[in-house]
Amino acid sequence: MAAIFPMGRILRGPRVFLRRLDRGQAEAYQRLLERNRLWLQPWMPEVPHPLTVADLRKIIAGEHQELKRAQRVDLGLFRAQDGQLIGKVALHSIQWGVSFSAGLGYWIDADLAGAGLMTEAVARVVAVAFEEMGLHRLWAGVQPANRPSQRVLEKLGFVREGLHRQELFINGRWQDQYFFTLLETEFYARRAQWVVKGWLGD
Ligand SMILES: CC(C)(COP(=O)(O)OP(=O)(O)OC[C@H]1O[C@@H](n2cnc3c(N)ncnc32)[C@H](O)[C@@H]1OP(=O)(O)O)[C@@H](O)C(=O)NCCC(=O)NCCS
């Protein structure tokens, strides 16, 4: 998998691009997380407090290790117009064997939400997951109250399969999660539309 995501590879969408973070981006990553601490709190594992640039350097180094072990892929999300780091997209919980599946995680700067940027970003990563990594199924867990996240998945054709009860301890309590999935056949059925929309970039 490290061959699919070499350092410096850029995945381009119409208004965003994605690439692995390097340690030199730890400061920008730290500022972004600090600024979005409250925005992320209801939906994601708590951002550690305090959070130093040194912590982020370690986190980025850990991301590189997990990629080498083919366990997860962490990509920084950048705005194309000025190259600013604006969020993250990850393929996590990657299972090979008889599964060939991965979970999707994502978040964007609160100030830039609602403009369709995450849909473009996730589409680009979904394409690499099926076309290059050879995965068979992608999934995402989303709290019932998180409509924006559900919309991202619905716009990409993910199917809501059911409710996982009290699946994650987030924001001080056990949260239910809707379980969404997209199969590789469903991706390939939509691929041409995504090309027309410019979502598959270069
Ligand atoms: C979820 C998240 C990544 C979406 O990113 P985004 O760039 O805003 O996504 P998009 O703009 O591509 O799509 C969002 C959709 O939700 C819709 N939406 C926004 N607020 C909504 C609401 N309160 N109710 C219903 N729909 C809503 C938008 O209108 C848009 O749909 P549309 O294109 O059909 O109009 C962003 O909200 C975020 O980072 N949230 C905090 C972290 C998080 O929840 N991560 C996901 C955990 S599962």
Side-chain angles (χ1 to χ4, degrees), residues 16-184:
V16 294
F17 65 86
L18 298 117
R19 57 177 297 175
R20 284 168 64 190
L21 295 182
D22 64 45
R23 290 182 206 203
Q25 287 157 317
E27 214 172 314
Y29 191 6
Q30 191 253 6
R31 281 199 304 271
L32 182 66
L33 276 170
E34 282 297 354
R35 198 166 65 240
N36 284 286
R37 186 180 283 282
L38 289 177
W39 162 247
L40 301 177
Q41 188 175 305
W43 318 115
M44 298 189 34
E46 196 176 345
V47 176
H49 187 80
L51 184 70
T52 65
V53 174
D55 294 332
L56 266 308
R57 278 196 205 102
K58 278 188 208 142
I59 288 170
I60 291 169
E63 291 178 352
H64 294 182
Q65 288 307 315
E66 297 222 50
L67 181 78
K68 272 188 197 151
R69 290 196 285 266
Q71 286 172 344
R72 58 180 285 153
V73 180
D74 285 273
L75 299 170
L77 172 64
F78 297 82
R79 184 163 56 181
Q81 69 189 59
D82 58 5
Q84 190 186 321
L85 179 65
I86 59 170
K88 290 286 297 290
V89 179
L91 291 167
H92 61 85
S93 315
I94 299 174
Q95 298 284 326
W96 302 103
V98 292
S99 183
F100 281 71
S101 67
L104 259 170
Y106 44 80
W107 59 269
I108 194 168
D109 193 344
D111 288 348
L112 299 173
L117 298 181
M118 189 53 81
T119 303
E120 291 177 12
V122 174
R124 194 68 193 83
V125 173
V126 164
V128 176
F130 288 125
E131 294 179 341
E132 298 184 44
M133 294 168 67
L135 292 178
H136 169 66
R137 188 174 63 105
L138 294 176
W139 60 267
V142 185
Q143 287 177 43
N146 194 346
R147 284 298 300 150
S149 182
Q150 289 168 48
R151 280 296 298 146
V152 168
L153 298 168
E154 287 162 4
K155 285 188 282 181
L156 295 171
F158 280 68
V159 174
R160 198 174 91 190
E161 291 189 350
L163 185 72
H164 287 195
R165 295 179 305 148
Q166 298 195 4
E167 191 175 46
L168 295 178
F169 194 81
I170 287 179
N171 203 18
R173 69 181 186 88
W174 289 103
Q175 307 280 357
D176 296 343
Q177 301 266 313
Y178 281 137
F179 192 70
F180 283 83
T181 61
L182 186 72
L183 305 178
E184 59 180 325

